[in-house]
Amino acid sequence: MPDTRRLFFALPLPETTQQEIIRWRAENFSPEAGRPIAAANLHLTLAFLGHVSEQKEQVLRTLAGRIRQPAFSVNLNDAGHWPRPGVVWLGCRRAPRGLLQLAELLRAQAARNGCYQSALPFHPHVTLLRGATRPVSIPPANFSWPIDMTHFSLYQSHFDNGKSRYQRLESWSFIE
């Protein structure tokens, strides 16, 4: 689509956590399980915006900058497999209220500004593998990555040479 960018709001994961998750994934999933997501692309999506014009992007950035969200912690301590979209994911057994409120606010703002939002309920997760259309054995839930979230970000999704790359465009800090 001309003059648009593919955008989404997300919570970035610290680089050390990304590397720990990549090691854990390599130890627990066979190469045949699916296509692994690059460490730098691991994030927790809050609201997918789709292809957005520059004007709409500016409106959404302004609205995001007005959010006064208290900081919260996320504990990635659950995993699962969605066979239909072919996704293996990490998530939270109990999503913190702050995470759910932030995602709902961003999704509502996006919808009011013409960005399609799925009717499916929000399920906070980090995508580990794509193309996982066959049954995948999920390891026992004896893992945990607690993360103090300090900010959320707007990202652009680039698709080059068959690979996705995410570029952080702007971030907004949570209030203490």
Side-chain angles (χ1 to χ4, degrees):
M1 298 181 77
D3 299 330
T4 64
R5 302 200 292 181
R6 194 166 191 252
L7 304 176
F8 61 93
F9 287 108
L11 294 171
L13 302 183
E15 192 174 326
T16 54
T17 304
Q18 290 174 335
Q19 295 305 319
E20 290 170 12
I21 290 171
I22 293 299
R23 280 192 293 279
W24 176 83
R25 181 182 65 194
E27 294 167 1
N28 287 282
F29 295 95
S30 71
E32 298 79 36
R35 289 186 319 280
I37 302 301
N41 283 354
L42 296 178
H43 64 274
L44 198 154
T45 301
L46 296 164
F48 180 72
L49 306 174
H51 290 275
V52 176
S53 69
E54 187 176 332
Q55 181 180 12
K56 191 179 294 186
E57 177 184 338
Q58 289 308 315
V59 169
L60 293 167
R61 283 182 187 236
T62 299
L63 291 170
R66 293 179 183 159
I67 293 174
R68 297 295 171 252
Q69 170 76 40
F72 55 88
S73 295
V74 169
N75 188 7
L76 297 176
N77 59 0
D78 194 17
H81 177 220
W82 293 320
R84 182 175 266 168
V87 170
V88 174
W89 52 267
L90 276 178
C92 319
R93 281 188 218 125
R94 293 180 63 119
R97 176 187 272 167
L99 167 61
L100 299 175
Q101 289 173 334
L102 178 61
E104 179 59 32
L105 179 57
L106 289 167
R107 290 165 56 111
Q109 289 176 345
R112 280 194 301 276
N113 284 280
C115 299
Y116 170 79
Q117 296 298 296
S118 170
L120 295 173
F122 176 66
H123 185 276
H125 69 281
V126 175
T127 300
L128 295 178
L129 300 169
R130 291 199 186 281
T133 53
R134 294 193 206 137
V136 175
S137 177
I138 302 298
N142 59 0
F143 52 85
S144 176
W145 288 279
I147 306 165
D148 291 330
M149 295 297 177
T150 60
H151 63 281
F152 69 101
S153 302
L154 177 66
Y155 289 85
Q156 180 177 1
S157 175
H158 300 277
F159 193 72
D160 298 312
N161 297 323
K163 295 190 180 197
S164 291
R165 184 175 52 83
Y166 305 136
Q167 174 186 359
R168 192 178 315 182
L169 301 176
E170 188 171 354
S171 294
W172 297 271
S173 295
F174 295 134
I175 57 175
E176 297 298 318

